[in-house]
Amino acid sequence: MLGTEMHKDLLIGGQWVPAASRLPVFDPATGEVLAQVANATVTDGLAAVSAAYEAFASWGYTPARVRAEILRRTFEIMTAEVETCARLISLENGKAWRDAIGEATYAAEFFRWFSEEASRVEGGFRYSPGRDKTIVTDHRPMGVAYMITPWNFPAAMATRKLAPALAAGCTAVLQPAAETPLTALWIGDVLQRAGAPAGVVNILTTSASGQVSEAILSDPRVATLSFTGSTVVGKLLLGQTAQRVLPSSMELGGNAPFVVFEGADVDSAIEGAMIAKMRNGGAACTAANRFYVHESLSKEFTAKLEAAFSKLRVGRGLDSSNDLGAMVSNAERNKILALLERAATEGSELNALADIPETGAFIAPYVVRDVRHGSTLTNNEIFGPVAPIVTFDTEDEGIRMANDCEYGLISYVYAKNAGHGISLARRMESGMVAINRGLASDPAAPFGGMKESGLGREGGFAGIHEFLETQYFAVDL
Ligand code: NAP
């Protein structure tokens, strides 16, 4: 299934190192074991920190242009081998081929964007208002950056951290989710081939994420944590980083509202809904999770969304004729089914709109009618191809329901025109708002949330600053 040349050991200090035990990686479409990767212990984790710490002594002072060229080569290799990357993503995560290619391309773009940003970090010079000194500001790399990533975007969540960290001059210890370690190992190999010096990037695959992370976060040589995952685990890690006052960037849960206001074009809203809901089979922090539709449009929107869902083909991700692949595991699929069961007991009408294969972690796409705001499906991040629809009467009511949530990552707003959309977007409590479109993610844009969706921004001009310290020099010039 996987080529024998595929690395399955830990990447520490430029070497592929076996661990005391192995960790099986499953294909969720078939249940087959794809590979047995090294299962890192606390000792391996601390060895990775040592390697990153030693490498920082020279990488932190390597000219930005040299770092940029390595990042650019990484982008070029990933782009040339995009199908290899997509294949690994689809195999271990289950997602549809189109989504896997989309992710691999998006993931590579972070290396291109941050290769360009590496040499554009600006310092500052100005006089104090009383002219008694000059104020010089500088930025320096923080040091060893520890990164923990989830299973839903095995490539992009890693590169969105690795690229800015390396551009800034930091070295990295990356720990991918236990379900999807293969893509991260492949990215480590690409970085080695692109010329990243030994120890600049270290990859730990483990089933003991809690133990390994606790030891790494207690190590004074680690300078920052960048985490993407659930809000529950994010809060737990913030409790640990608080002990060392460690800078922590957090990309957490979503529960995005998709609001169709009076006067919006329904066909265009359906087109956007299919992207916002079905990208990655709904397993995205940015996935539209709750649909609020103005009562004048709700009947038409619901009927058209059901028609669009019923055209979807569900099956193995590697078969490019399928639109929806498998969920990452049976456990994840069962979580979604449990939410649906609860929704049915609350009086919602569930419509499963496609056939699914008999085996594997598949789930049909559902449109759910008669949903009440504040019920199970609007209160929980569903993380699957399920679209609950709630109807509202006034603009204020639509906005109130959209904002009535502890999360604030992204909102989708369909309005009569762009001006109306921007006035609505200013009232949404989310770090990102997609206006009359179903996709916002872009390596050149600041990605991140308000409220319990996180701290900090990735991508854009802001992303590199998550890995830089600002230093001020008071000086007479
Ligand atoms: P998760 O359970 O929080 O896991 C995320 C990562 O944290 C995995 O690598 C996991 O490793 C690790 N982890 C779990 N428990 C840990 C602990 N006690 N200490 C240290 N690390 C630990 O989240 P998930 O289920 O993989 O991903 C889904 C969540 O991620 C959703 O809430 C989604 O919204 C969010 N997400 C957010 C963004 C964003 O940019 N805001 C992007 C993607 C996903 P193991 O796999 O080994 O347990």
Side-chain angles (χ1 to χ4, degrees), residues 146 148-153 157 160 175-180 206-211 213-214 217 227-234 236-237 240 250-255 283-286 332 335 381 383 407 409 432 447-449 453 458:
Y146 179 39
I148 304 178
T149 52
W151 48 260
N152 63 341
F153 288 94
M157 297 303 96
R160 202 165 71 180
Q175 189 179 304
E179 289 94 338
T180 56
T206 182
S207 65
S209 53
Q211 277 169 296
S213 69
E214 204 173 339
L217 291 173
F227 173 75
T228 298
S230 62
T231 297
V232 172
V233 175
L236 192 142
L237 293 173
Q240 294 171 19
M250 293 276 148
E251 296 290 346
L252 308 177
N255 197 355
C285 53
T286 51
E332 279 301 313
K335 274 192 214 166
E381 214 182 349
F383 242 56
Y407 296 113
L409 185 63
M432 302 176 282
F447 187 107
S453 284
E458 290 190 327

Side-chain angles (χ1 to χ4, degrees), residues 256-279:
F258 187 106
V259 196
V260 186
F261 289 94
E262 189 175 13
D265 180 74
V266 172
D267 291 326
S268 135
I270 294 292
E271 205 179 304
M274 291 306 286
I275 301 167
K277 178 75 257 182
M278 290 307 177
R279 179 165 165 255

Side-chain angles (χ1 to χ4, degrees), residues 250-335:
M250 293 276 148
E251 296 290 346
L252 308 177
N255 197 355
F258 187 106
V259 196
V260 186
F261 289 94
E262 189 175 13
D265 180 74
V266 172
D267 291 326
S268 135
I270 294 292
E271 205 179 304
M274 291 306 286
I275 301 167
K277 178 75 257 182
M278 290 307 177
R279 179 165 165 255
N280 230 23
C285 53
T286 51
N289 199 61
R290 314 171 269 145
F291 289 80
Y292 299 104
V293 186
H294 188 263
E295 49 96 15
S296 64
L297 305 175
S298 133
K299 228 170 143 182
E300 182 187 355
F301 181 87
T302 307
K304 287 186 168 169
L305 194 63
E306 284 176 348
F309 275 23
S310 63
K311 291 193 187 119
L312 297 172
R313 268 180 63 119
V314 186
R316 189 139 204 252
L318 284 185
D319 175 348
S320 62
S321 67
N322 289 323
D323 303 297
L324 284 182
M327 298 290 102
V328 73
S329 62
N330 286 329
E332 279 301 313
R333 191 261 324 267
N334 293 343
K335 274 192 214 166

Side-chain angles (χ1 to χ4, degrees), residues 360-381:
F362 294 97
I363 185 165
Y366 282 81
V367 168
V368 187
R369 293 168 176 242
D370 300 327
V371 178
R372 192 177 47 78
H373 172 69
S375 62
T376 296
L377 293 184
T378 65
N379 281 355
N380 289 281
E381 214 182 349

